């Protein structure tokens, strides 16, 4: 799998993650699924050889979590702006990686 493929898969995983698993009536199954999904994300990102990309994806994960848990529309918009800026840095045209 190329670095670009890994980036695309990591972004897809962020978008699919169940950020609200904690509201699942305290069941272990949703928590375990969310934790397993997070671990898979961590392992995928750790397999990328470019430290800057790894740091960017980890930051995006953290911002996505904050955005999911925020009720403040302005904060959510601010978080989305941060994610958009980070996404721009991950575009193939701005990366100097072998595909």
């Amino acid at each position: 799998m190329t670095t670009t493929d890994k980036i695309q898969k990591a972004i897809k995983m962020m978008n699919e993650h169940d950020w609200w698993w904690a509201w699942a009536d305290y069941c272990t199954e949703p928590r375990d699924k969310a934790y397993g999904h997070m671990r898979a994300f961590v392992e995928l990102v750790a397999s990328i050889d470019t430290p800057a990309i790894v740091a960017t994806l980890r930051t995006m994960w953290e911002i996505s979590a904050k955005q999911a848990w925020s009720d403040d529309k302005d904060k959510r918009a601010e978080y989305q702006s941060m994610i958009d800026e980070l996404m721009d840095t991950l575009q193939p045209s701005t990366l100097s990686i072998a595909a």
Side-chain angles (χ1 to χ4, degrees), residues 13 17-18 21 28-44 61:
M13 291 176 80
H17 188 69
D18 181 7
W21 63 265
T28 56
E29 183 181 348
R31 181 192 65 218
D32 292 347
K33 286 177 80 174
Y35 181 77
H37 192 254
M38 180 198 66
R39 284 298 320 149
F41 175 84
V42 168
E43 291 170 10
L44 174 66
W61 180 274

Side-chain angles (χ1 to χ4, degrees), residues 11-31:
I11 292 168
K12 184 176 185 239
M13 291 176 80
M14 272 187 272
N15 292 333
E16 294 174 346
H17 188 69
D18 181 7
W19 299 106
W20 305 280
W21 63 265
W23 291 99
D25 296 331
Y26 302 101
C27 296
T28 56
E29 183 181 348
R31 181 192 65 218

Side-chain angles (χ1 to χ4, degrees), residues 34-78:
Y35 181 77
H37 192 254
M38 180 198 66
R39 284 298 320 149
F41 175 84
V42 168
E43 291 170 10
L44 174 66
V45 171
S47 73
I48 297 173
D49 295 331
T50 310
I53 294 172
V54 171
T56 299
L57 289 169
R58 288 179 177 166
T59 300
M60 286 176 65
W61 180 274
E62 292 172 14
I63 294 170
S64 295
K66 289 177 184 176
Q67 182 183 37
W69 283 93
S70 177
D71 289 335
D72 183 329
K73 287 184 180 181
D74 292 334
K75 269 293 200 201
R76 289 179 59 81
E78 180 183 334

